[in-house]
Amino acid sequence: MKTLVLACIDGSTYAPAVCDAAAWAALRLEAPLTFLHVLSKTQEPRPADLSGSLGLGARESLLEELAELDAKRGKLAQERGRQILAAAKERAKNAGVASPEALQRHGGLVETLSELEGGIRLLVLGRRGEAADVAKEHLGSHLERVIRAMSRPILVTTAEFRAPQKIMLAFDGSATTRKGVDMVAASPLFKGLPCHLVMVGPDTAEARAQLERARLRLESAGFETPAVILPGEASSVLSQYQQEHGIDLMIMGAYGHSRIRQLLIGSTTTEMMLKSTVPLLLLR
């Protein structure tokens, strides 16, 4: 079975960017594209015990009315989800995707994605979801859980997406980022784009040797590959480098462990998602 690009969408302001990022990735990878909308389980109504102030018949009537309202709310949410999926498919078609698919599920987002993970080549998410838009949270409440639960690459987009012209890989010599180098070298997703290698930490002979091996691997695959080792605090250094060099997309490990621990510890992953003004491709 051919693996696909799976894009999670809802009614948030990030949905158009998720559509655009997913369409771009699907076209570059020549992979099928499916949009996923998950309807969370609604809580059952729990009215207070009214038997002391209302007759039994009145109480039962109120419970029935609440149940009817809950059912109507569920149907409206389902129909709204279908409309969101239809709009996403139309946007992807306009971007050149031939036959995007739509999938609506009931349940939890993390659990749903775990069930579908075997068929996913790339997962695309917005940095915030609909609940975060309303609550004005910094990150979507499900985002960190999804990233920790999945073993597939995850593209986390900002509120606007444009096709990248320059990419950057935060490299530290760990197994995850070495895998990232091989992924970039082999994948059609980034073919033809300059790939900056940025290592944060002490400038040692070992670090230079690791960085040079990574640079040669990318250059042998046809990439223009500037490579630097920079001192400082990882998230600040990476953000500054991105801004100074006009990087459109950053690639980094997510919630892992490495010898240069400042780069890949979970809190730094979250901080980069908060700070970054460009999409992040997170590797596990």
Side-chain angles (χ1 to χ4, degrees):
M1 178 180 176
K2 192 173 183 181
T3 54
L4 53 82
V5 174
L6 184 69
C8 298
I9 60 168
D10 56 15
S12 76
T13 56
Y14 282 70
V18 171
C19 293
D20 294 345
W24 168 80
L27 290 169
R28 297 279 294 191
L29 293 170
E30 296 184 349
L33 170 59
T34 295
F35 292 104
L36 172 68
H37 181 262
V38 177
L39 292 165
S40 62
K41 296 178 181 178
T42 58
Q43 290 184 330
E44 294 294 329
R46 297 179 181 178
D49 186 357
L50 305 175
S51 58
S53 56
L54 293 175
L56 181 60
R59 181 172 182 269
E60 289 179 347
S61 175
L62 178 59
L63 288 174
E64 289 175 1
E65 186 176 349
L66 288 171
E68 290 177 3
L69 287 172
D70 194 52
K72 289 179 181 178
R73 189 162 51 244
K75 289 180 180 178
L76 286 172
Q78 190 171 17
E79 178 57 31
R80 179 172 177 267
R82 291 194 186 108
Q83 292 180 10
I84 289 171
L85 288 168
K89 289 176 61 178
E90 188 64 26
R91 191 178 181 100
K93 287 179 182 178
N94 292 337
V97 179
S99 302
E101 299 291 335
L103 181 62
Q104 190 174 62
R105 288 285 187 90
H106 293 261
L109 177 61
V110 176
E111 293 74 18
T112 300
L113 290 174
S114 295
E115 292 175 7
L116 300 172
E117 184 171 10
I120 299 174
R121 183 171 181 179
L122 176 68
L123 177 64
V124 184
L125 296 168
R127 189 166 67 183
R128 292 185 191 176
E130 190 170 14
D133 277 354
V134 174
K136 299 190 183 302
E137 299 170 1
H138 291 299
L139 290 174
S141 58
H142 295 297
L143 184 55
E144 183 175 331
R145 289 183 60 222
V146 168
I147 293 168
R148 289 185 181 277
M150 302 292 286
S151 60
R152 296 293 189 265
I154 300 175
L155 178 58
V156 181
T157 185
T158 47
E160 294 184 4
F161 179 85
R162 63 177 183 177
Q165 302 301 310
K166 293 181 185 178
I167 63 172
M168 180 179 86
L169 173 60
F171 181 78
D172 73 333
S174 68
T176 299
T177 52
R178 291 198 306 271
K179 180 181 176 182
V181 169
D182 290 335
M183 182 273 292
V184 171
S187 176
L189 192 62
F190 304 116
K191 187 175 181 180
L193 303 181
C195 179
H196 293 239
L197 281 175
V198 181
M199 198 171 195
V200 180
D203 187 353
T204 64
E206 182 182 2
R208 288 195 297 273
Q210 291 174 338
L211 191 66
E212 181 64 9
R213 284 194 292 270
R215 186 186 67 80
L216 291 174
R217 172 74 177 94
L218 289 171
E219 287 194 347
S220 68
F223 286 85
E224 176 188 340
T225 313
V228 295
I229 299 175
L230 300 172
E233 191 273 325
S235 60
S236 297
V237 170
L238 294 173
S239 295
Q240 183 176 352
Y241 188 94
Q242 175 267 316
Q243 294 171 15
E244 290 178 351
H245 292 83
I247 303 298
D248 302 305
L249 184 145
M250 295 173 58
I251 306 167
M252 63 182 295
Y255 302 119
H257 297 287
S258 64
R259 284 178 294 104
I260 303 175
R261 294 180 63 84
Q262 300 97 310
L263 184 57
L264 296 178
I265 291 178
S267 60
T268 301
T269 304
T270 301
E271 190 171 357
M272 286 304 302
M273 286 191 289
L274 287 168
K275 282 186 175 182
S276 180
T277 58
V278 299
L280 295 176
L281 179 62
L282 301 175
L283 308 175
R284 298 304 308 273

